[in-house]
Amino acid sequence: MPLYECNEHQFVENVRRLLEAGDKFIVNRRITIHDDARYGPATLPDEEFKRYESLVARKSVNSTVTTKIPFVDAFHNSRFYDADGTVHSTSALMFPRMSVPYYRVEYSVNVWGGTYFFAFDALFDPEIAIEKRSGRRLGRGALVHVLRYNPPKERVLAINMPKGVVVLDVKHMVRVIDHSSNF
Amino acid sequence: MGKRAEQKLKSISVLVPLEMVQASLSEIGFLMQDTATVVADGKFWKKMLYAHGDETISVSEEIGEVYPKDPIITICGSNKTILHVVRGIGG
C-alpha cells in the first residue's frame, strides 16, 4: 500500500478536500517522546540557540559548543557539566553530551488503500534557573544553574479539526503489504 | 445562547510577512496562546497557536535568515474567519 508524505499545508488541504467530498475517514495521531541526540545546541538555528546562551557558547551554527559556566541538566538524571567543556558538535564526539529531547508527532489518514501522512518533531523548551544543589562535585548546598526541558503543550502540537472528524491516538502503525495485485 | 457557526478547515501558504498575518488575526480578536519550536521538512519552524472562542489558527514560520519566508496558516474556524484572514493577507 502506498505511503504519501505531505507537509502541513498539503495534509490539512487534503483533509479539507475529503471533508468537502463528504467522505468518511479517521485521522490517526501518534505522539512519541525521543531523546536520541538528534538535536543538540550545535545544530540549532541562532534564534533557538539564544535560549541556551547563558550556559553555552559557539561561534556559529554547526560549530563546537562549549560550556560557559558549570550547570546541571535536570532532565538527564541531573548530569553535571563543568565550565569550558565541549558538549556538542556536528563532527564526531565520543558521544553527544548535550541533547534536546523532542516529541515526534505523526498524523495520518487512510484513503482508498493509500496512507497520507505528515510528521514533525517538537523540541522541548529549555528553562534555566539557579538552585541549591548538593553533590560530589558541587559540595553541600551550592548554588548552581539548572537546565530543565519542559515538553511543549499538546494544544500547540495538535492540528485542530472541525467537529465530525475523528482523531484517534495510536501507539504504532503496522503497514500491511497487499500482494494480491501481483497475481 | 446563539448557535455556533459551523467550523471549516483551511490551510494557506503565502509569501507575506508574519507581521501582516498577525495584524489580520488581531483585528478579529485572535490572541496568541502558545508557541513551540518544531522541525519539519528538515527545517526549524516557530509554531504559534492563536485562539478566539472555540476557533483556532496556527501559524508556522521558518526560523532564521531564510528567503523566501512563507508562513503556513492553518485555520479551524468559521467561514467568516477564513474569509477575513484570506483577505487580510491579500488573497
Side-chain angles (χ1 to χ4, degrees), chain A residues 84-105:
Chain A
D84 300 319
T86 302
V87 286
H88 195 240
S89 171
T90 47
S91 57
L93 284 178
M94 284 292 281
F95 53 90
R97 288 164 194 148
M98 197 173 158
S99 66
V100 182
Y102 62 96
Y103 279 140
R104 176 85 176 156
V105 184

mmCIF file of all heavy atoms in Angstrom, chain A residues 84-105:
data_model
loop_
_atom_site.group_PDB
_atom_site.id
_atom_site.type_symbol
_atom_site.label_atom_id
_atom_site.label_comp_id
_atom_site.label_asym_id
_atom_site.label_seq_id
_atom_site.Cartn_x
_atom_site.Cartn_y
_atom_site.Cartn_z
ATOM 1 N N ASP A 84 33.872 25.277 30.493
ATOM 2 C CA ASP A 84 34.845 25.090 29.402
ATOM 3 C C ASP A 84 34.910 23.664 28.857
ATOM 4 O O ASP A 84 35.941 23.258 28.305
ATOM 5 C CB ASP A 84 36.261 25.541 29.830
ATOM 6 C CG ASP A 84 36.283 27.009 30.218
ATOM 7 O OD1 ASP A 84 35.625 27.809 29.523
ATOM 8 O OD2 ASP A 84 36.922 27.346 31.230
ATOM 9 N N GLY A 85 33.855 22.915 29.016
ATOM 10 C CA GLY A 85 33.824 21.565 28.451
ATOM 11 C C GLY A 85 33.132 21.578 27.097
ATOM 12 O O GLY A 85 32.265 22.403 26.846
ATOM 13 N N THR A 86 33.545 20.660 26.212
ATOM 14 C CA THR A 86 32.875 20.542 24.911
ATOM 15 C C THR A 86 31.645 19.664 25.101
ATOM 16 O O THR A 86 31.756 18.540 25.600
ATOM 17 C CB THR A 86 33.826 19.904 23.874
ATOM 18 O OG1 THR A 86 34.987 20.727 23.793
ATOM 19 C CG2 THR A 86 33.177 19.802 22.515
ATOM 20 N N VAL A 87 30.485 20.192 24.722
ATOM 21 C CA VAL A 87 29.253 19.442 24.990
ATOM 22 C C VAL A 87 28.499 19.010 23.735
ATOM 23 O O VAL A 87 27.667 18.121 23.783
ATOM 24 C CB VAL A 87 28.283 20.245 25.897
ATOM 25 C CG1 VAL A 87 28.776 20.267 27.318
ATOM 26 C CG2 VAL A 87 28.031 21.631 25.377
ATOM 27 N N HIS A 88 28.804 19.651 22.599
ATOM 28 C CA HIS A 88 28.123 19.231 21.384
ATOM 29 C C HIS A 88 28.877 19.711 20.160
ATOM 30 O O HIS A 88 29.499 20.771 20.190
ATOM 31 C CB HIS A 88 26.683 19.766 21.335
ATOM 32 C CG HIS A 88 25.831 19.100 20.303
ATOM 33 N ND1 HIS A 88 25.230 19.778 19.264
ATOM 34 C CD2 HIS A 88 25.501 17.794 20.129
ATOM 35 C CE1 HIS A 88 24.551 18.922 18.534
ATOM 36 N NE2 HIS A 88 24.692 17.716 19.027
ATOM 37 N N SER A 89 28.817 18.919 19.120
ATOM 38 C CA SER A 89 29.485 19.279 17.866
ATOM 39 C C SER A 89 28.836 18.497 16.744
ATOM 40 O O SER A 89 28.278 17.420 16.969
ATOM 41 C CB SER A 89 30.966 18.922 17.975
ATOM 42 O OG SER A 89 31.581 19.057 16.720
ATOM 43 N N THR A 90 28.925 19.026 15.521
ATOM 44 C CA THR A 90 28.370 18.268 14.397
ATOM 45 C C THR A 90 29.363 17.209 13.934
ATOM 46 O O THR A 90 28.992 16.234 13.317
ATOM 47 C CB THR A 90 28.030 19.199 13.215
ATOM 48 O OG1 THR A 90 29.132 20.064 12.983
ATOM 49 C CG2 THR A 90 26.794 20.000 13.491
ATOM 50 N N SER A 91 30.676 17.421 14.219
ATOM 51 C CA SER A 91 31.650 16.365 13.927
ATOM 52 C C SER A 91 31.575 15.348 15.067
ATOM 53 O O SER A 91 31.008 15.615 16.113
ATOM 54 C CB SER A 91 33.052 16.950 13.802
ATOM 55 O OG SER A 91 33.372 17.637 14.976
ATOM 56 N N ALA A 92 32.183 14.197 14.842
ATOM 57 C CA ALA A 92 32.001 13.095 15.785
ATOM 58 C C ALA A 92 32.702 13.342 17.116
ATOM 59 O O ALA A 92 33.921 13.431 17.179
ATOM 60 C CB ALA A 92 32.528 11.822 15.154
ATOM 61 N N LEU A 93 31.929 13.468 18.144
ATOM 62 C CA LEU A 93 32.466 13.435 19.503
ATOM 63 C C LEU A 93 32.392 11.980 19.957
ATOM 64 O O LEU A 93 31.743 11.158 19.318
ATOM 65 C CB LEU A 93 31.603 14.288 20.441
ATOM 66 C CG LEU A 93 31.727 15.810 20.375
ATOM 67 C CD1 LEU A 93 30.750 16.434 21.356
ATOM 68 C CD2 LEU A 93 33.119 16.268 20.691
ATOM 69 N N MET A 94 33.043 11.667 21.054
ATOM 70 C CA MET A 94 32.935 10.299 21.574
ATOM 71 C C MET A 94 31.478 9.954 21.818
ATOM 72 O O MET A 94 31.037 8.854 21.578
ATOM 73 C CB MET A 94 33.730 10.178 22.876
ATOM 74 C CG MET A 94 35.223 10.092 22.667
ATOM 75 S SD MET A 94 35.696 8.546 21.883
ATOM 76 C CE MET A 94 35.623 7.453 23.278
ATOM 77 N N PHE A 95 30.755 10.930 22.318
ATOM 78 C CA PHE A 95 29.304 10.786 22.440
ATOM 79 C C PHE A 95 28.734 12.198 22.523
ATOM 80 O O PHE A 95 29.399 13.106 23.034
ATOM 81 C CB PHE A 95 28.902 9.954 23.668
ATOM 82 C CG PHE A 95 29.489 10.439 24.952
ATOM 83 C CD1 PHE A 95 28.820 11.376 25.733
ATOM 84 C CD2 PHE A 95 30.713 9.967 25.399
ATOM 85 C CE1 PHE A 95 29.363 11.819 26.929
ATOM 86 C CE2 PHE A 95 31.259 10.404 26.592
ATOM 87 C CZ PHE A 95 30.581 11.337 27.359
ATOM 88 N N PRO A 96 27.551 12.428 21.996
ATOM 89 C CA PRO A 96 26.990 13.774 22.107
ATOM 90 C C PRO A 96 26.546 14.013 23.539
ATOM 91 O O PRO A 96 25.658 13.343 24.039
ATOM 92 C CB PRO A 96 25.814 13.745 21.133
ATOM 93 C CG PRO A 96 25.504 12.314 20.922
ATOM 94 C CD PRO A 96 26.671 11.494 21.325
ATOM 95 N N ARG A 97 27.197 14.935 24.205
ATOM 96 C CA ARG A 97 26.968 15.063 25.642
ATOM 97 C C ARG A 97 25.708 15.842 25.978
ATOM 98 O O ARG A 97 25.142 15.666 27.028
ATOM 99 C CB ARG A 97 28.183 15.711 26.289
ATOM 100 C CG ARG A 97 29.322 14.724 26.299
ATOM 101 C CD ARG A 97 30.641 15.363 26.568
ATOM 102 N NE ARG A 97 31.694 14.418 26.238
ATOM 103 C CZ ARG A 97 32.874 14.753 25.776
ATOM 104 N NH1 ARG A 97 33.166 16.012 25.583
ATOM 105 N NH2 ARG A 97 33.765 13.849 25.498
ATOM 106 N N MET A 98 25.341 16.740 25.087
ATOM 107 C CA MET A 98 24.156 17.553 25.380
ATOM 108 C C MET A 98 23.156 17.345 24.252
ATOM 109 O O MET A 98 23.502 17.484 23.071
ATOM 110 C CB MET A 98 24.567 19.022 25.462
ATOM 111 C CG MET A 98 23.573 19.921 26.139
ATOM 112 S SD MET A 98 24.269 21.569 26.351
ATOM 113 C CE MET A 98 22.765 22.488 26.520
ATOM 114 N N SER A 99 21.940 17.013 24.585
ATOM 115 C CA SER A 99 20.941 16.786 23.551
ATOM 116 C C SER A 99 19.593 17.338 23.990
ATOM 117 O O SER A 99 19.317 17.442 25.186
ATOM 118 C CB SER A 99 20.809 15.296 23.237
ATOM 119 O OG SER A 99 20.292 14.611 24.344
ATOM 120 N N VAL A 100 18.789 17.698 22.999
ATOM 121 C CA VAL A 100 17.473 18.271 23.280
ATOM 122 C C VAL A 100 16.412 17.192 23.029
ATOM 123 O O VAL A 100 16.300 16.682 21.913
ATOM 124 C CB VAL A 100 17.203 19.496 22.372
ATOM 125 C CG1 VAL A 100 15.859 20.120 22.697
ATOM 126 C CG2 VAL A 100 18.330 20.519 22.494
ATOM 127 N N PRO A 101 15.642 16.820 24.054
ATOM 128 C CA PRO A 101 14.570 15.837 23.836
ATOM 129 C C PRO A 101 13.443 16.433 22.990
ATOM 130 O O PRO A 101 13.310 17.662 22.911
ATOM 131 C CB PRO A 101 14.086 15.512 25.250
ATOM 132 C CG PRO A 101 14.523 16.644 26.103
ATOM 133 C CD PRO A 101 15.704 17.281 25.444
ATOM 134 N N TYR A 102 12.661 15.573 22.359
ATOM 135 C CA TYR A 102 11.587 16.073 21.484
ATOM 136 C C TYR A 102 10.449 15.064 21.387
ATOM 137 O O TYR A 102 10.622 13.876 21.682
ATOM 138 C CB TYR A 102 12.128 16.395 20.084
ATOM 139 C CG TYR A 102 12.706 15.210 19.337
ATOM 140 C CD1 TYR A 102 11.952 14.489 18.414
ATOM 141 C CD2 TYR A 102 14.016 14.797 19.562
ATOM 142 C CE1 TYR A 102 12.483 13.400 17.738
ATOM 143 C CE2 TYR A 102 14.554 13.712 18.891
ATOM 144 C CZ TYR A 102 13.792 13.014 17.980
ATOM 145 O OH TYR A 102 14.330 11.927 17.321
ATOM 146 N N TYR A 103 9.295 15.580 20.974
ATOM 147 C CA TYR A 103 8.156 14.721 20.636
ATOM 148 C C TYR A 103 8.147 14.526 19.126
ATOM 149 O O TYR A 103 8.301 15.504 18.380
ATOM 150 C CB TYR A 103 6.834 15.390 21.003
ATOM 151 C CG TYR A 103 6.411 15.301 22.449
ATOM 152 C CD1 TYR A 103 5.831 16.396 23.077
ATOM 153 C CD2 TYR A 103 6.553 14.123 23.177
ATOM 154 C CE1 TYR A 103 5.413 16.331 24.401
ATOM 155 C CE2 TYR A 103 6.142 14.057 24.498
ATOM 156 C CZ TYR A 103 5.576 15.156 25.106
ATOM 157 O OH TYR A 103 5.167 15.085 26.406
ATOM 158 N N ARG A 104 7.967 13.306 18.698
ATOM 159 C CA ARG A 104 7.723 13.029 17.282
ATOM 160 C C ARG A 104 6.211 12.945 17.115
ATOM 161 O O ARG A 104 5.551 12.154 17.792
ATOM 162 C CB ARG A 104 8.379 11.699 16.903
ATOM 163 C CG ARG A 104 8.118 11.250 15.484
ATOM 164 C CD ARG A 104 9.089 11.883 14.548
ATOM 165 N NE ARG A 104 8.945 11.405 13.181
ATOM 166 C CZ ARG A 104 9.331 12.107 12.133
ATOM 167 N NH1 ARG A 104 9.856 13.299 12.278
ATOM 168 N NH2 ARG A 104 9.212 11.631 10.926
ATOM 169 N N VAL A 105 5.658 13.804 16.281
ATOM 170 C CA VAL A 105 4.203 13.841 16.087
ATOM 171 C C VAL A 105 3.893 13.411 14.655
ATOM 172 O O VAL A 105 4.443 13.975 13.708
ATOM 173 C CB VAL A 105 3.653 15.268 16.344
ATOM 174 C CG1 VAL A 105 2.134 15.285 16.246
ATOM 175 C CG2 VAL A 105 4.098 15.788 17.700
#
